[in-house]
Amino acid sequence: MKTVRTFAEVRSLEQGKVGLVPTMGYLHEGHLELIETAANRCDTTVVSVFVNPLQFGDTTDLDSYPADLQRDVELATSAGANIVFAPAVDEMYANNEAVGVAVADVGDAMEGVHRPGHFEGVATVVAKLFAGIQPDLAFFGRKDAQQLALVSTMAAGLSMPVEVVGCPTVRESDGLALSSRNTRLSPGARIQAALLSAALFGAADRFARGERRAGALTTTVHERLAHEPGLALEYVEVADAASAGLIDEIIDLSFLALAATVGGVRLIDNVFLDGRDGSLDVGSRLDGQSILYGGDTCS
Ligand code: AMP
């Protein structure tokens, strides 16, 4: 395992088929699952750890983002990574403030409405990682479903020779989707946060029983989460998985997504619903407590 700071160093160490797992660090089992999947499919697995200032509108969120590179290196190694790329902001952005990547449409709804500029930041940093590291495969979580659609659209649209692979969401034992931000929830907010996935699972059950109308599914979620003090829903939407365009009826692979703030912490979650064969992907759950809370550091 090597920890390096420049693109040139990453490229000099790469051998065979290269897999990239982009992260903002403070790794949890969701990230480790991506790294394990990459390590199974690739000869060299690169994990990037970079808290990208370009994708944060809210500087408080940026400043309070947890960071511990030594911990990340140990965890990435245990999951099978060969290289951790932890660039300084200058390596990523020196001398090229005028260059950025915009992807039309796919970033417009949902997160695009509530986090202006976020997806330009994501598209730009991922394009730079793809250009500098030149991976054959890149692994992203379905947890960030709109981001996955955006990155896939960008890679195809710019003819980038990389296969973008989406991986299922990993959840805490009560269903809450793993996120580095979960560490900022107060004990009371942490209990309430589990209601988000419970509401999505309730809607997924309706889908499993044959409901295909987006409005009926989003209403199920709204009804379960209305009247929860301290929990504020930002949106609940159903979107096409490939285009992230909002839809009224589920015919193809789609996702039901929500964003909410719970005790002041912003969380997102979703379930994937496939209208073609009625199958679901609600992710997997940990048996015990997550490594986010300082326990065992093995996956
Ligand atoms: P982040 O560090 O939050 O930017 O996430 C880095 C990558 O890990 C992204 O592709 C995320 O979609 C993915 N990811 C984050 N949380 C989870 C999770 N709970 N399950 C699976 N993948 C995740």
Side-chain angles (χ1 to χ4, degrees), residues 22-25 28 30-31 34 65 139-144 147 167-170 177-178:
T23 81
M24 296 201 297
H28 52 61
H31 300 116
L34 298 182
Y65 206 85
F139 298 83
F140 290 83
R142 278 186 160 183
K143 154 98 179 356
D144 298 278
Q147 170 175 280
C167 303
T169 298
V170 182
L178 277 162

Side-chain angles (χ1 to χ4, degrees), residues 19-21 33-46 139:
L20 171 65
V21 181
E33 186 105 3
L34 298 182
I35 298 168
E36 281 164 17
T37 307
N40 281 333
R41 293 187 57 180
C42 303
D43 303 302
T44 303
T45 297
V46 184
F139 298 83

Side-chain angles (χ1 to χ4, degrees), residues 2-269:
K2 290 257 191 223
T3 304
V4 299
R5 303 279 179 186
T6 66
F7 283 121
E9 285 173 285
V10 177
R11 286 195 302 273
S12 74
L13 293 167
E14 290 174 352
Q15 286 176 341
K17 189 186 278 191
V18 176
L20 171 65
V21 181
T23 81
M24 296 201 297
Y26 215 76
L27 303 184
H28 52 61
E29 290 88 344
H31 300 116
L32 300 187
E33 186 105 3
L34 298 182
I35 298 168
E36 281 164 17
T37 307
N40 281 333
R41 293 187 57 180
C42 303
D43 303 302
T44 303
T45 297
V46 184
V47 176
S48 62
V49 174
F50 181 63
V51 182
N52 176 29
L54 229 56
Q55 71 190 67
F56 282 83
D58 175 357
T59 50
T60 325
D61 194 25
L62 172 63
D63 294 342
S64 60
Y65 206 85
D68 185 343
L69 185 60
Q70 187 51 41
R71 174 185 176 279
D72 290 339
V73 170
E74 282 167 22
L75 287 167
T77 307
S78 75
N82 308 106
I83 303 170
V84 169
F85 173 52
V89 171
D90 268 3
E91 172 71 4
M92 296 300 286
Y93 291 120
N95 307 323
N96 61 0
E97 292 83 356
V99 179
V101 177
V103 183
D105 303 334
V106 67
D108 286 356
M110 299 176 287
E111 293 297 290
V113 174
H114 293 272
R115 301 184 73 186
H118 171 69
F119 281 130
E120 286 81 354
V122 171
T124 300
V125 79
V126 174
K128 290 169 80 73
L129 289 169
F130 285 0
I133 294 171
Q134 300 173 359
D136 298 290
L137 295 98
F139 298 83
F140 290 83
R142 278 186 160 183
K143 154 98 179 356
D144 298 278
Q146 191 175 9
Q147 170 175 280
L148 174 60
L150 177 107
V151 169
S152 304
T153 303
M154 176 192 74
L158 293 176
S159 308
M160 293 171 160
V162 57
E163 180 187 342
V164 175
V165 181
C167 303
T169 298
V170 182
R171 302 177 176 283
E172 299 197 30
S173 54
D174 64 357
L176 175 65
L178 277 162
S179 163
S180 308
R181 290 189 177 88
N182 296 356
T183 57
R184 305 207 317 244
L185 293 164
S186 69
R190 174 64 191 76
I191 291 168
Q192 255 194 334
L195 299 173
L196 300 177
S197 54
L200 289 171
F201 298 157
D205 281 345
R206 285 194 71 178
F207 173 82
R209 292 198 303 272
E211 183 58 78
R212 295 293 180 270
R213 292 169 302 160
L217 299 176
T218 56
T219 300
T220 302
V221 174
H222 276 291
E223 282 171 356
R224 301 250 333 226
L225 297 177
H227 319 301
E228 285 292 334
L231 189 157
L233 268 177
E234 281 187 1
Y235 65 79
V236 185
E237 303 281 10
V238 180
D240 177 73
S243 69
L246 302 185
I247 54 175
D248 295 327
E249 196 188 344
I250 299 176
I251 296 165
D252 292 316
L253 182 62
S254 314
F255 59 86
L256 167 64
L258 60 75
T261 53
V262 186
V265 178
R266 188 173 190 277
L267 301 172
I268 61 170
D269 197 358

